[in-house]
Amino acid sequence: MGRAYSNDLRKRVVRAVENEGMSASAASRRFGVARSTAILWVQRYRQTGDVSASRVGRPKGMKVAAYTKFIMTKMKNKDTTLDILQDALWEECGVYASRTLLHRFIQAEGLSYKKNRARQRAEPA
């Protein structure tokens, strides 16, 4: 994925259109950017007063954060697995969350623990 154009170039293109009365097409030729790019920069400037690039990527945070209380309640039972938690979220809240997302959330909340496999084998089922 390419990098965003510098704010300096964006400002020069917009300045040429706004202050010098140049068309966006002419400014794009002068500064060596695509015509559609120059048009978008000028539109953004006119709407917001800013030419900075938009933020790229997903928003920070996890979609299951809204269900923290529900997850905490389910995690009180030490036998709760990611599969059980995933099914419970779907059935009771109507929210699909991948096992990976749930694992990351549980790790971030400090709810993860290492199960003692030897103790599990010794206990009768």
Side-chain angles (χ1 to χ4, degrees), residues 83-99:
D83 290 329
I84 292 170
L85 186 57
Q86 184 181 30
D87 291 342
L89 266 171
W90 177 250
E91 291 169 3
E92 297 179 37
C93 301
V95 175
Y96 172 77
S98 68
R99 293 178 77 234

Side-chain angles (χ1 to χ4, degrees), residues 11-28:
K11 288 176 184 175
R12 285 187 285 153
V13 170
V14 169
R15 196 176 312 126
V17 172
E18 294 293 313
N19 296 342
E20 297 175 23
M22 189 179 288
S23 70
S25 296
S28 70

Side-chain angles (χ1 to χ4, degrees), residues 51-109:
V51 294
S52 301
S54 298
R55 187 177 168 98
V56 177
R58 293 182 180 178
K60 297 291 183 194
M62 298 185 187
K63 69 178 183 179
V64 293
Y67 302 94
T68 303
K69 190 173 181 180
F70 176 80
I71 293 171
M72 296 286 207
T73 304
K74 290 291 182 185
M75 289 302 294
K76 285 182 182 177
N77 180 359
K78 297 289 185 187
D79 292 330
T80 302
T81 63
L82 291 175
D83 290 329
I84 292 170
L85 186 57
Q86 184 181 30
D87 291 342
L89 266 171
W90 177 250
E91 291 169 3
E92 297 179 37
C93 301
V95 175
Y96 172 77
S98 68
R99 293 178 77 234
T100 305
L101 175 68
L102 291 173
H103 175 72
R104 287 185 192 145
F105 179 77
I106 289 168
Q107 288 286 87
E109 293 292 320

Side-chain angles (χ1 to χ4, degrees), residues 19-55:
N19 296 342
E20 297 175 23
M22 189 179 288
S23 70
S25 296
S28 70
R29 285 190 299 272
R30 178 177 174 187
F31 293 102
V33 297
R35 184 172 150 244
S36 59
T37 302
I39 292 169
L40 288 174
W41 290 348
V42 172
Q43 285 176 348
R44 173 177 283 153
Y45 176 76
R46 289 176 179 165
Q47 289 173 354
T48 66
D50 190 27
V51 294
S52 301
S54 298
R55 187 177 168 98

